[in-house]
Amino acid sequence: MGLANENITEEAKGVVAKLSRVKTRLQTNKEVEPLEGSGDDVEMWNRAIDSLQDKTWYGAPWLFVECYMYRYIHGALQETTHLKYPQFDIFRAEKEKGLLKSTPNMIKIWESLSGVTKVTRELLGTCVRLSLWGNKTDLSLLGHFNLGLGDVQGEAVAENEGRILDNDMGALLDCLVAMENAHVAIVLDNSGYELFSDLCLCDALLASGRVAMVTLHQKSLPWFVSDVTQLDFDRTLSHLMGIEKLKPLGDRLTSYLATSRLVTTEDPFWTSPHPFCDMRSVSPDLYGHLAKCDLVIFKGDLNYRKLVNDRCWPYDTPFSRALEGFSPTKIAALRTVKSDSLVGCDKERVEGILREDRDSLFCGSYAVVSTNF
């Protein structure tokens, strides 16, 4: 045991040295270095790095270097014996802490939802809003956040709807209630409370009689601290099964998984540096899979930024225009706003918010429900 601990300590020192090196290069605005190692995505990353007009940390696109940082951390850990994923997840402790802290609120929400015997348009709207505002939880930016069912029902709906700056909720619900034997894909964002809210939406969709299958797209490696991996999904399901009041939801999800009505999957493209408008050329198989779905729901800020190529579009740019040709099928984006890219909005309203209190626009208090249909 002592020798194993010594080996882990030495490996950790090596990882820290690599992270210190990349930190120094960032602070001194050096060029982003090619990735090393044997990962399946190394060649894709290095081609993308070679294509940069400006390879410096401050000159390259910010979304690119953000993604590069998390991929670099992963690569440094993968070169070890004891600290590599999946046996070690550097962000696991934070994710588990968030899940445990959210549990009392999860119980209250599920108790209210489980009493509903028929999946109506109103219930679907409640679950979509839970999933939308659940995105406010983001360990990489905002820390822990709890949303109550009262925040998405009754009088609170009108207040929160006023904070949805691009609101295609009606079109999305029309799409959901018109479905027959449909296949819906959800590209997940955060684990913990947000994943729970997404699973409530999955349950409602699959229980509605309109959706035959839901595919959940996860990350293949620890990403932006709290993004969902297969290990996070498995731990969340085990957590639900281990709590008496949440076990009914766990049982339902387990049944859906056993019959392949609920499927989890991952693809290296989701942790690549590419915007989604590149998907068709970079990852044609993934694009083809999405094209076979009747609807793809993209969750969260990072997915939204990649949908619109993280450009500083005019705020009133139509969402479909900002997708830059990415349209494998019907698309909906559910995102609380935490960064600059924002389209499909009333330009004067957004500019008014910026003048009054700029910080309030980027802390998750505002949201978008954007569709390309």
Side-chain angles (χ1 to χ4, degrees):
M1 186 68 176
L3 182 59
N5 286 338
E6 288 180 11
N7 290 338
I8 293 172
T9 299
E10 288 305 309
E11 287 184 344
K13 288 179 180 178
V15 171
V16 169
K18 289 182 179 180
L19 298 186
S20 296
R21 171 182 168 79
V22 79
K23 178 182 177 182
T24 299
R25 293 186 67 82
L26 185 160
Q27 291 174 326
T28 55
N29 196 29
K30 296 293 192 297
E31 288 192 348
V32 172
E33 295 181 302
L35 292 178
E36 299 177 348
S38 57
D40 294 338
D41 61 345
V42 170
E43 183 178 347
M44 174 177 62
W45 266 98
N46 288 340
R47 283 198 306 267
I49 292 171
D50 286 342
S51 71
L52 292 174
Q53 292 183 351
D54 186 339
K55 296 182 176 61
T56 64
W57 274 89
Y58 301 160
W62 180 241
L63 181 57
F64 188 104
V65 293
E66 278 186 282
C67 292
Y68 175 87
M69 180 185 71
Y70 283 99
R71 180 56 183 83
Y72 184 94
I73 293 170
H74 175 72
L77 292 164
Q78 291 305 99
E79 294 303 305
T80 70
T81 300
H82 301 91
L83 301 176
K84 65 174 61 177
Y85 184 80
Q87 67 196 64
F88 176 74
D89 178 352
I90 192 171
F91 304 123
R92 176 175 177 173
E94 287 299 312
K95 288 187 279 192
E96 289 188 340
K97 181 180 177 181
L99 179 63
L100 291 173
K101 198 170 183 179
S102 298
T103 300
N105 204 42
M106 291 160 54
I107 291 172
K108 291 179 183 178
I109 288 173
W110 177 246
E111 285 179 335
S112 297
L113 292 177
S114 61
V116 180
T117 57
K118 185 178 180 181
V119 180
T120 61
R121 179 189 174 98
E122 181 181 1
L123 179 64
L124 287 172
T126 294
C127 291
V128 168
R129 291 179 179 95
L130 276 173
S131 179
L132 168 65
W133 292 107
N135 178 244
K136 193 169 183 178
T137 300
D138 189 333
L139 296 177
S140 70
L141 295 172
L142 302 170
H144 180 73
F145 167 77
N146 264 336
L147 179 78
L149 201 61
D151 295 307
V152 293
Q153 288 184 333
E155 295 179 0
V157 171
E159 179 181 350
N160 282 325
E161 294 289 291
R163 291 182 169 272
I164 302 177
L165 300 174
D166 179 21
N167 193 349
D168 290 342
M169 182 71 74
L172 176 56
L173 294 179
D174 287 345
C175 175
L176 293 177
V177 299
M179 286 182 166
E180 295 182 11
N181 198 37
H183 182 186
V184 175
I186 303 178
V187 183
L188 298 171
D189 190 18
N190 296 301
S191 57
Y193 180 84
E194 183 177 358
L195 177 58
F196 165 77
S197 69
D198 295 337
L199 293 175
C200 289
L201 175 58
C202 288
D203 179 62
L205 292 173
L206 292 169
S208 69
R210 303 179 182 95
V211 176
M213 179 179 179
V214 174
T215 298
L216 300 177
H217 290 261
Q218 308 165 142
K219 303 300 192 299
S220 57
L221 54 93
W223 195 247
F224 280 66
V225 182
S226 53
D227 281 27
V228 180
T229 65
Q230 183 64 47
L231 290 182
D232 297 321
F233 179 89
D234 293 342
R235 281 195 293 265
T236 300
L237 185 58
S238 295
H239 183 70
L240 297 176
M241 296 294 287
I243 298 174
E244 183 179 356
K245 292 183 178 180
L246 293 175
K247 190 174 184 298
L249 175 59
D251 287 337
R252 291 165 71 94
L253 296 170
T254 300
S255 176
Y256 295 141
L257 289 164
T259 56
S260 297
R261 295 192 65 204
L262 181 64
V263 175
T264 61
T265 187
E266 57 192 34
D267 190 281
F269 185 83
W270 301 126
T271 51
S272 80
H274 292 285
F276 294 162
C277 59
D278 290 348
M279 184 188 295
R280 192 168 198 165
S281 59
V282 175
S283 186
D285 289 345
L286 177 60
Y287 190 94
H289 168 79
L290 298 184
K292 294 176 183 178
C293 297
D294 297 283
L295 172 70
V296 181
I297 299 173
F298 288 89
K299 290 297 309 293
D301 203 66
L302 178 59
N303 282 324
Y304 184 92
R305 292 170 68 190
K306 289 195 170 188
L307 279 168
V308 303
N309 205 356
D310 206 33
R311 296 188 188 277
C312 293
W313 296 98
Y315 296 123
D316 56 358
T317 303
F319 178 65
S320 57
R321 165 71 182 89
L323 293 174
E324 297 190 73
F326 177 69
S327 188
T329 187
K330 289 182 177 179
I331 289 171
L334 305 181
R335 169 237 193 176
T336 57
V337 181
K338 303 164 194 167
S339 60
D340 292 344
S341 293
L342 187 60
V343 299
C345 303
D346 183 312
K347 184 178 179 180
E348 292 184 0
R349 186 180 179 205
V350 174
E351 291 176 346
I353 296 169
L354 290 171
R355 284 193 301 270
E356 185 175 332
D357 183 3
R358 181 180 179 82
D359 290 344
S360 70
L361 184 60
F362 305 117
C363 68
S365 295
Y366 291 92
V368 295
V369 180
S370 303
T371 65
N372 67 341
F373 52 88

